[in-house]
Amino acid sequence: RYADIYGDGFYTRVSERWESNTDSSDQGFQFTDELRYTPSDDSDDIAVRGGEDSHGGKGEDSFVIREAAHLRIADFRADENDDIIFDTGLGLTSKEQLASYVKETRQEGDDFLVDFGPGVSIRLVGIHGDQISWDHVEIMS
């Protein structure tokens, strides 16, 4: 969905909805709500995409990951009950299974980096390792 937010004739992508192209109930995406690109003053479901900084707004935001890429979450707030949802459609079944793919976690300045190997990482901007835990992660597929 695109909108002319400022009334200046320029349209900005504000949200999207992903649907599985399979009839099988055990494959594809499980998260069915609309994903936003721009935050609001309420709780939002934010699409996390490669090459873009993902920003939530005020409230409890869910950052939904659907692709393997170098991802950046620019304002994850554990103190506001933000969470990260893995809805990849790749059959992930548990946090333990996801953890088995983590090659390294490290602090880089004020950012916390979760490295899954070449081409795949999640950078949490302004977060230190003691500010996030597996309690902030949900696996949907």
Side-chain angles (χ1 to χ4, degrees), residues 14-85:
V14 294
S15 68
E16 69 180 24
R17 181 179 301 271
W18 293 39
E19 296 181 15
S20 175
N21 62 358
T22 178
D23 292 332
S24 174
S25 63
D26 63 346
Q27 295 180 13
F29 302 118
Q30 304 299 313
F31 189 89
T32 58
D33 293 335
E34 186 171 86
L35 296 176
R36 299 185 50 84
Y37 285 97
T38 56
S40 72
D41 288 338
D42 202 358
S43 299
D44 296 311
D45 300 318
I46 304 293
V48 181
R49 302 292 300 266
E52 301 175 7
D53 281 1
S54 299
H55 295 272
K58 296 178 181 174
E60 298 179 14
D61 296 316
S62 295
F63 293 91
V64 181
I65 294 174
R66 290 200 162 148
E67 63 181 304
H70 290 299
L71 305 171
R72 289 175 52 97
I73 299 175
D75 70 340
F76 184 87
R77 297 289 310 258
D79 60 339
E80 291 181 2
N81 295 318
D82 287 357
D83 60 4
I84 299 171
I85 298 174

Side-chain angles (χ1 to χ4, degrees), residues 102-113:
V102 175
K103 302 294 183 207
E104 178 185 16
T105 61
R106 66 182 176 273
Q107 196 69 40
E108 291 187 352
D110 285 332
D111 300 347
F112 186 68
L113 186 73

